[in-house]
Amino acid sequence: MNDDVPDPVGRFLMPAVSAPTALPRFRHRWAAVAGLLVLSPISAEYLVGYGESTGRPLELLAGLLILAPLYGTVAVLIREITRRTGRGWPTILLLSAAFGVIQAGLIDQSLFDNEVDADDPDWATQALVTLIPGLGVDAASILNYVGGHVIWSFAAPIAVVESCAPRIANRGWLGTVGVGVLVLLWALSALLVFNDTAADSTAGPAQLIGAAVVASALIVTAFIVRPTRAQSCAKAPSGWLVGGVTGVAWGVNQLLPTNWTGVTVNAVAMVVLGWLLLRWSRRQGWGRRHVLAAAGSALVVRAGLSFLVEPLGGNVDGTVKYAVNAAMLGGVVALLLMAAHRLRRGEPSAC
């Protein structure tokens, strides 16, 4: 695929063209599946470097045995469902939000955990001042957990891996057996996490039911929404401009204080960014390189901020921590350069 050719699937709010029923070659599609299975949990949990295992590479690798089935399988399945049904980014984002609610509201139930550990770093022990009356849910936590899953667990990894495999990006990557295996892996990992966290959860029945209703509504909406194909005569901005604007927005998302002012500015910034991307995506020349710029900037910001984050536990050696942070950032940059190269050449292989 030549990235200079307008691509409706690459558009932010344009529906995808119907995918061919035949699956791509085994090595191409499974390389892409494996890449997304790994990139999703790394983006979600490892890039920002907050975990206690930061600085212990073997533990990070071992953690993927749980996190890849928990996050990576969902990312692959969201992409698979979207592409096989001929839909586009609205469906991906809505399904990502739904699974964000499922993960944070029903599985680990962190959305309803309003207690803090005094032994954690300052960033993790800030008083919850944005509790929504009557719901027992913190507004800042909603943006952090659900919004974080949408951006870093699912949407950004999907966009980057599809950019690494541009010629099969519109097509399904899994057969029936593959889908079944991923569903089973997700269910087992979700059950394991639920059993580990449910005993200490403070969530009440009404909160759990509410989370289930919200997730269900998001899933239904994901398959109802039908974006228009309206296009503008204006020319799409450069990929560098898209990456710069989105990078600033992702930085704002991560750095604003967790008070009502910060939450309000954060929410407005995300709405404005969504509106801006929608407008840009309707312009002539918008393509996968723009989507990669938006997604790639999210990964770069996440990895860059890791140098400022003190890991939980506070006993990580500084030299090792910075070495891991640098390795993660370097890996992100290398992956994005590879993706950009693949987009330019339109190679069929996946990274």
Side-chain angles (χ1 to χ4, degrees):
M1 176 187 298
N2 186 341
D3 186 61
D4 293 332
V5 177
D7 174 19
V9 181
R11 296 182 183 278
F12 182 70
L13 282 181
M14 292 294 283
V17 294
S18 298
T21 55
L23 293 175
R25 292 181 181 179
F26 180 84
R27 66 184 180 90
H28 296 156
R29 57 191 173 95
W30 280 103
V33 169
L36 187 49
L37 280 172
V38 173
L39 182 58
S40 173
I42 288 177
S43 174
E45 298 290 346
Y46 289 172
L47 283 188
V48 78
Y50 76 92
E52 293 183 48
S53 57
T54 298
R56 299 192 291 271
L58 292 180
E59 288 189 25
L60 292 176
L61 290 174
L64 290 178
L65 297 177
I66 297 296
L67 296 176
L70 188 65
Y71 293 154
T73 56
V74 174
V76 174
L77 291 170
I78 287 174
R79 198 217 75 89
E80 189 74 10
I81 292 169
T82 301
R83 298 313 183 204
R84 283 192 169 274
T85 57
R87 289 174 167 82
W89 280 100
T91 296
I92 288 176
L93 295 175
L94 286 166
L95 289 178
S96 297
F99 275 94
V101 173
I102 291 171
Q103 173 65 31
L106 299 176
I107 298 176
D108 63 36
Q109 299 177 20
S110 55
L111 196 60
F112 306 113
D113 183 7
N114 297 325
E115 298 179 0
V116 295
D117 188 341
D119 295 328
D120 285 339
D122 291 342
W123 62 265
T125 57
Q126 297 176 14
L128 300 178
V129 297
T130 59
L131 285 172
I132 302 174
L135 297 181
V137 181
D138 184 60
S141 296
I142 294 176
L143 286 176
N144 182 33
Y145 294 134
V146 179
H149 280 308
V150 172
I151 299 167
W152 286 285
S153 298
F154 307 129
I158 289 171
V160 170
V161 172
E162 284 193 338
S163 297
C164 289
R167 289 191 179 178
I168 63 171
N170 299 350
R171 302 170 64 181
W173 294 345
L174 298 173
T176 303
V177 174
V179 170
V181 169
L182 290 193
V183 170
L184 179 60
L185 286 174
W186 174 78
L188 291 175
S189 62
L191 181 62
L192 181 64
V193 173
F194 175 81
N195 287 337
D196 184 55
T197 60
D200 299 324
S201 175
T202 59
Q207 291 174 316
L208 297 177
I209 292 173
V213 169
V214 170
S216 299
L218 288 168
I219 292 172
V220 171
T221 305
F223 293 101
I224 292 177
V225 63
R226 284 290 185 182
T228 65
R229 291 181 178 270
Q231 294 187 24
S232 167
C233 295
K235 184 179 179 180
S238 71
W240 289 106
L241 177 60
V242 173
V245 171
T246 54
V248 170
W250 307 139
V252 167
N253 175 272
Q254 296 287 280
L255 294 174
L256 281 173
T258 55
N259 53 33
W260 278 114
T261 299
V263 168
T264 302
V265 173
N266 203 338
V268 170
M270 291 299 102
V271 170
V272 171
L273 179 62
W275 171 82
L276 190 58
L277 288 174
L278 173 60
R279 286 181 60 86
W280 282 346
S281 71
R282 291 173 173 171
R283 293 184 176 184
Q284 299 296 321
W286 179 271
R288 291 192 184 280
R289 60 192 172 89
H290 297 93
V291 178
L292 175 62
S297 66
L299 300 190
V300 170
V301 167
R302 186 85 157 173
L305 290 176
S306 66
F307 292 92
L308 306 177
V309 173
E310 179 186 353
L312 295 169
N315 56 355
V316 178
D317 178 79
T319 302
V320 177
K321 165 191 154 49
Y322 292 128
V324 171
N325 297 155
M328 290 285 184
L329 180 58
V332 165
V333 172
L335 178 62
L336 296 180
L337 290 174
M338 183 183 295
H341 176 69
R342 292 279 172 79
L343 282 179
R344 284 194 299 270
R345 295 188 61 182
E347 293 179 351
S349 56
C351 60

